[in-house]
């Protein structure tokens, strides 16, 4: 599957309906930029900028009606496989947080890094979900 800029912009707008969606011109420019890798999934896509030995996940989007069903994890697995094949050692993910969408100032965020001998992923996560997410990661890694 390969999406064009208009399809990517439309899906991104739905996935980021609360703010932060990229425009059509953003995706048009992106598709012409060197070192960009688009990882497609039937219900979404991710954009990865690779400058080995590092890479940055610029965005990852899954159709809202398909979120929470494991498709994001499958897409992230594809991103990691693509990065490994490009000899990437470190992957970065910067998360934009809009404080106006949180119901309380106590919806804190924390920066976490997961690393093994092959790859490192750094991301920002809600403090209230960290224990659950780390336990799930450790169960799957065991």
């Amino acid at each position: 599957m390969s999406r064009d800029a208009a399809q990517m912009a439309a899906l991104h707008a739905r996935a980021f309906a609360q703010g932060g969606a990229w425009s059509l011109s953003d995706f048009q420019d992106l598709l012409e930029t060197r070192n960009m890798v688009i990882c497609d999934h039937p219900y979404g896509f991710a954009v990865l900028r690779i400058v080995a030995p590092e890479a940055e996940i610029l965005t990852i989007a899954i159709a809202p009606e398909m979120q929470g069903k494991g498709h994001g994890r499958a897409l992230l697995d594809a991103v990691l496989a693509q990065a490994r094949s490009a000899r990437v050692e470190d992957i970065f993910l910067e998360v934009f947080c809009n404080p106006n969408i949180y119901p309380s100032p106590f919806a804190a965020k924390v920066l976490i890094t997961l690393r093994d001998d092959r790859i490192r992923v750094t991301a920002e996560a809600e403090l209230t979900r960290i224990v659950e997410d780390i336990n799930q990661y450790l169960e799957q890694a065991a």
Side-chain angles (χ1 to χ4, degrees):
M1 163 176 279
S2 179
R3 291 182 174 84
D4 64 21
Q7 293 168 323
M8 292 172 77
L11 183 96
H12 205 260
R14 289 191 315 118
F16 288 86
Q18 292 184 325
W22 294 1
S23 69
L24 174 59
S25 65
D26 291 333
F27 283 104
Q28 288 168 330
D29 292 344
L30 178 112
L31 292 175
E32 296 175 5
T33 304
R34 289 185 41 206
N35 300 330
M36 295 296 171
V37 175
I38 310 298
C39 294
D40 274 316
H41 180 278
Y43 303 112
F45 65 90
V47 179
L48 185 66
R49 177 178 30 217
I50 298 176
V51 182
E54 296 180 345
E56 180 180 10
I57 299 172
L58 298 179
T59 193
I60 186 167
I62 295 290
E65 66 276 9
M66 300 309 290
Q67 292 175 7
K69 299 177 181 181
H71 300 297
R73 175 172 287 284
L75 179 54
L76 186 57
D77 288 343
V79 167
L80 297 177
Q82 180 73 37
R84 276 196 233 43
S85 71
R87 302 190 194 287
V88 168
E89 296 172 11
D90 293 314
I91 294 182
F92 301 94
L93 172 64
E94 182 178 327
V95 179
F96 169 76
C97 296
N98 181 347
N100 298 321
I101 66 171
Y102 295 104
S104 151
F106 300 105
K109 298 277 185 171
V110 65
L111 189 65
I112 61 170
T113 300
L114 299 177
R115 184 180 189 145
D116 67 14
D117 59 332
R118 296 165 294 161
I119 203 157
R120 179 179 75 186
V121 178
T122 301
E124 199 172 87
E126 291 180 27
L127 188 57
T128 56
R129 295 198 55 194
I130 281 197
V131 171
E132 176 185 327
D133 291 344
I134 289 175
N135 285 336
Q136 183 179 5
Y137 174 80
L138 293 173
E139 286 172 12
Q140 291 177 354

